[in-house]
């Protein structure tokens, strides 16, 4: 009996496979998957009141795995925020190495092109900035800024510098950059 069942399934399987013709389209049981209303991200969409295909996310929503940052004023950030990674002396040598390594990597990836490898405002694109050159991070008045201000500028941008919150998504990475900037200031 089992042999007959197996043989029946084998014959049916062969018949189904023999029926496959790559020149004919698939048979769709649920047509909605094949014929759906989709548009490209920046296309015109006549069904929407503003004509835009891209929809704005609802107010107050965050991308997945994002942290909320609600401070809007740089002075408020200076007074309210403190660097949780600042006191390197309380950490093991391995932790110090990891924090400074991460901060250096992130700084060299995102900041050094404008501010330069030593933070002197002499990055590779600094000469091409016609409006205003990036400031030196190792001289006054920026040398006297609090860590919260650096964090805020990375997060929200300041002047002609735009926000780097999209590139440096994690708060810990931003604080690591601030810690690395402090290290550069000690070295200069």
């Amino acid at each position: 009996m089992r042999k007959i069942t197996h043989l029946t399934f084998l014959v049916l399987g062969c018949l189904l496979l023999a029926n496959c013709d790559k020149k004919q389209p698939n048979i769709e049981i649920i047509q909605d998957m094949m014929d759906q209303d989709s548009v490209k991200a920046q296309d015109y969409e006549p069904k929407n009141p503003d004509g835009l295909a891209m929809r704005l996310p609802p107010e107050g929503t965050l991308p997945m795995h994002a942290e909320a940052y609600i401070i809007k004023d740089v002075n408020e950030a200076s007074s309210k925020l403190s660097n949780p990674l600042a006191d390197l002396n309380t950490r093991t040598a391995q932790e110090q190495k990891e924090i400074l390594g991460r901060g250096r990597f992130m700084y060299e990836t995102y900041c050094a092109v404008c501010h330069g490898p030593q933070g002197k405002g002499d990055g590779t694109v600094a000469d091409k900035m016609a409006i205003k050159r990036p400031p030196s991070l190792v001289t006054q008045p920026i040398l006297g800024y609090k860590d919260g201000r650096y964090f805020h500028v990375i997060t929200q941008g300041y002047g002609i510098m735009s926000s780097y919150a999209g590139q440096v998504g994690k708060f810990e990475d931003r604080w690591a950059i601030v810690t690395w900037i402090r290290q550069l200031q000690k070295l200069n």
Side-chain angles (χ1 to χ4, degrees):
M1 183 69 181
R2 281 176 78 180
K3 286 186 179 184
I4 293 173
T5 306
H6 288 304
L7 187 60
T8 304
F9 279 116
L10 182 66
V11 169
L12 285 173
C14 289
L15 286 174
L16 287 172
L17 287 174
N19 245 348
C20 292
D21 185 5
K22 295 191 187 283
K23 295 177 184 170
Q24 292 182 357
N26 294 337
I27 297 172
E28 292 292 325
I29 296 172
I30 302 173
Q31 289 294 319
D32 293 344
M33 295 295 286
M34 198 71 154
D35 303 320
Q36 56 180 303
D37 292 332
S38 61
V39 292
K40 294 192 190 285
Q42 297 180 358
D43 275 352
Y44 172 74
E45 176 54 52
K47 293 179 186 175
N48 294 334
D50 57 5
L52 300 175
M54 288 175 46
R55 308 309 308 151
L56 290 174
E59 180 106 11
T61 58
L62 294 170
M64 288 181 66
H65 310 294
E67 300 175 68
Y69 183 77
I70 56 173
I71 298 174
K72 298 292 180 199
D73 180 55
V74 72
N75 295 321
E76 182 182 359
S78 288
S79 64
K80 286 188 176 180
L81 299 176
S82 62
N83 187 348
L85 307 177
D87 195 5
L88 290 174
N89 296 331
T90 62
R91 302 184 183 274
T92 66
Q94 180 63 30
E95 288 174 326
Q96 290 178 18
K97 185 178 177 182
E98 288 173 9
I99 292 168
L100 290 174
R102 185 68 182 162
R104 180 179 185 175
F105 173 77
M106 298 300 277
Y107 177 87
E108 288 175 351
T109 303
Y110 297 109
C111 310
V113 293
C114 294
H115 293 284
Q118 278 81 43
K120 296 179 180 177
D122 58 350
T124 54
V125 299
D127 290 335
K128 295 166 182 63
M129 295 182 153
I131 299 172
K132 186 177 181 186
R133 290 179 56 96
S136 169
L137 301 174
V138 296
T139 59
Q140 293 295 345
I142 293 176
L143 187 62
Y145 290 168
K146 293 184 177 180
D147 288 355
R149 183 174 180 131
Y150 289 117
F151 183 88
H152 181 80
V153 170
I154 294 168
T155 305
Q156 298 285 24
Y158 190 79
I160 63 169
M161 178 179 155
S162 62
S163 168
Y164 274 78
Q167 293 85 345
V168 187
K170 295 180 183 175
F171 281 14
E172 187 175 327
D173 288 342
R174 294 179 208 166
W175 286 121
I177 291 172
V178 173
T179 306
W180 179 250
I181 290 170
R182 290 295 186 208
Q183 195 69 20
L184 288 176
Q185 290 169 345
K186 288 178 187 173
L187 297 173
N188 283 299

